[in-house]
Every structure is written in structure tokens, then in C-alpha cells.
Amino acid sequence: MELYSGMELTQKPESVNDTHYQHFLSFTRKMTDKQHKFPCIPAVQGFHLNHFRFGFLKDPAQKETISMMAALLKEYSHQYRDIGQYTSLIVFFDEKENIEWSLPDYENAFWKMLTELSALDPIDWPEKIPLNAADPLWEFCFHGERYFVYSATPQHKNRQSRHFPCFLLAFTPRWAFDKFEAHAAAPFVKRKIRERLTEYDAIAPHPDLKAYGQPDNYEANQYFLPDNQSTRKSCPFHSYKQHRST
């Protein structure tokens, strides 16, 4: 599996097929749209600074896709600190031909992938991070690194901030968030993000969008947002290591 920078992809490498290249172009348009500015300002900065890394995977329902994703995330985990403070790993998935998934289909696939990805992790879950997703300090971990996982699908309509022509995941290291929070301007930027999110989506920001570490915050609820204001009562993620320990 290969990771690409945005700069490399603008030249359309021979190893990137036309469908994958179109996914990248759609992402580029989303990050560079001046009329409808993508709400996450650090994400836009990361794209323009070439801090993002991109990977292309097969149908998310295929078992081999999980092992390929594990290889991508392992490689990224080794290098992200050397890329830049606005870094994220963006993963595009192929879609099944002639089969249209519903939003619940995508959500089920998402949690299944995270669970199976965790099962392939060769490194123990960090001791300081709870295994229970109902704990406010829980977040997804892989290869000893902590990640926020953003998802977008073709079936998100009201929440355009979570809409994309294909199934997309973005893994952002907690390290990048810590770097952002260290800036004096962070509170102002977060207010601007909320304002832009309100303008970008057809519905209000989801009530589960809270800050990591707040007593009433659950990171898992933010990973895959519904297209309405409903809240998940329990997290479908079950760490392989948690199963093994019980």
C-alpha cells in the first residue's frame, strides 16, 4: 500500500487509477471552495500546506480491505510527526457497483472496520487510554497512537460537512489537536469553525460535538454523525483487546 501527498497526486501518478484520481479531485474542490468554505479551518490549512497524506482502498465490505487499511495506518503512524502539525490521513474507499448503501449500511461498515482494524493492531492499547468507549477519555488507538476518526458518506444530505461522493475516513492524530490547542488563537478559531459549520450544513451542529476530555463528551459519537440530531445510546465499537481481557 502506498501513501501519497497532495502535491504528488496533483501530478496523477501512474499507480493511481481514474476513479481514485476523481476522488482526490472531489476532495480538492471541497477544501478549496471559496463560496462554501469547509468548516474545519485546520483541515483546510492542512490541505493547502501539503500536510495531508492520502490512501486508496477497495470496497469496505471486503476482508482484505481491513488489512490494507492497517498497513496504511501503520505506515502513517511512523511518519506523521515529521509531516506537519495540520496532518491527517485521508482514506478513500471504492464503492460496490450497482449497489447503493443506506446511511445505516455505512455506519455498520464503519464500526465493523474499526473493530477489525483494532484486532490487527500488533501493539498494545495505550495504558492511559480507557478501553471502554463510554469513558470521556476514550479515543481510537492504533499502533500506539491516538486518533480522532472522521467519516463522510454519499448518504449524508443535511450534514454536508459529512458528505462526500465516496465513503471517506480521516484519521487525525491527537498530537495534531494538542499542537492546535497550544496556539493562543485556538479559542477564536474554534468559534469560527462553529460559525462556518452552522452556515455549511442544513441543520444545526450536532449536540455531540464537544471537546475531548469534557465529562459529558464521548468521542465515538462524533466519529460517525447521523444526518439528524439523534444521539447514539451506546457505542458499537468493541476493542479486540477488551474482548480478549474479558
Side-chain angles (χ1 to χ4, degrees):
M1 296 307 300
E2 188 169 356
L3 289 178
Y4 301 90
S5 70
M7 191 173 297
E8 288 171 328
L9 287 175
T10 58
Q11 306 300 317
K12 195 182 183 301
E14 291 184 2
S15 55
V16 176
N17 65 40
D18 290 342
T19 298
H20 291 165
Y21 188 60
Q22 287 304 315
H23 291 337
F24 171 71
L25 292 182
S26 294
F27 187 85
T28 298
R29 287 192 290 270
K30 202 171 187 72
M31 292 295 107
T32 58
D33 192 332
K34 300 297 183 182
Q35 297 299 317
H36 304 284
K37 297 180 180 179
F38 189 70
C40 186
I41 296 170
V44 174
Q45 287 179 292
F47 177 79
H48 286 288
L49 291 171
N50 199 40
H51 288 184
F52 283 178
R53 292 297 178 267
F54 299 89
F56 303 95
L57 294 178
K58 297 180 179 180
D59 180 349
Q62 294 182 8
K63 193 167 185 178
E64 65 176 338
T65 298
I66 306 302
S67 59
M68 296 167 73
M69 184 162 61
L72 278 179
L73 192 52
K74 178 181 177 181
E75 181 180 349
Y76 177 73
S77 296
H78 284 306
Q79 62 176 260
Y80 75 78
R81 293 174 188 267
D82 298 322
I83 297 172
Q85 69 180 65
Y86 297 105
T87 186
S88 288
L89 169 62
I90 313 299
V91 182
F92 304 102
F93 293 89
D94 288 339
E95 299 289 318
K96 274 191 172 182
E97 293 184 5
N98 303 319
I99 296 179
E100 184 173 338
W101 279 14
S102 66
L103 194 58
D105 289 334
Y106 282 110
E107 183 172 16
N108 290 337
F110 171 78
W111 290 113
K112 185 174 184 289
M113 282 194 295
L114 282 198
T115 300
E116 293 181 354
L117 185 61
S118 182
L120 295 178
D121 191 354
I123 295 181
D124 288 340
W125 192 272
E127 291 185 3
K128 295 182 179 180
I129 305 301
L131 284 170
N132 185 358
D135 191 300
L137 294 180
W138 179 91
E139 54 191 328
F140 182 72
C141 300
F142 188 83
H143 211 69
E145 302 293 342
R146 304 149 59 197
Y147 288 102
F148 181 89
V149 189
Y150 160 98
S151 58
T153 78
Q155 292 297 339
H156 280 87
K157 308 297 183 183
N158 295 320
R159 214 173 292 285
Q160 284 293 302
S161 58
R162 295 293 179 123
H163 176 84
F164 197 73
C166 74
F167 192 23
L168 176 154
L169 298 185
F171 294 84
T172 303
R174 177 56 52 186
W175 172 86
F177 287 104
D178 291 342
K179 290 283 187 182
F180 167 72
E181 292 288 350
H183 287 293
F188 170 77
V189 174
K190 286 191 281 190
R191 286 195 297 271
K192 291 297 295 182
I193 292 172
R194 181 67 61 144
E195 291 173 6
R196 283 167 61 156
L197 185 61
T198 302
E199 295 176 0
Y200 201 81
D201 289 347
I203 55 178
H206 196 278
D208 285 335
L209 292 177
K210 300 172 183 177
Y212 176 71
Q214 285 183 212
D216 61 344
N217 173 68
Y218 302 102
E219 290 287 283
N221 284 0
Q222 301 185 46
Y223 289 1
F224 193 105
L225 290 179
D227 209 30
N228 53 36
Q229 300 299 74
S230 64
T231 297
R232 186 183 300 104
K233 293 183 179 180
S234 62
C235 175
F237 175 82
H238 299 288
S239 168
Y240 168 76
K241 296 172 181 60
Q242 185 175 16
H243 281 312
R244 187 171 61 183
S245 67
T246 56

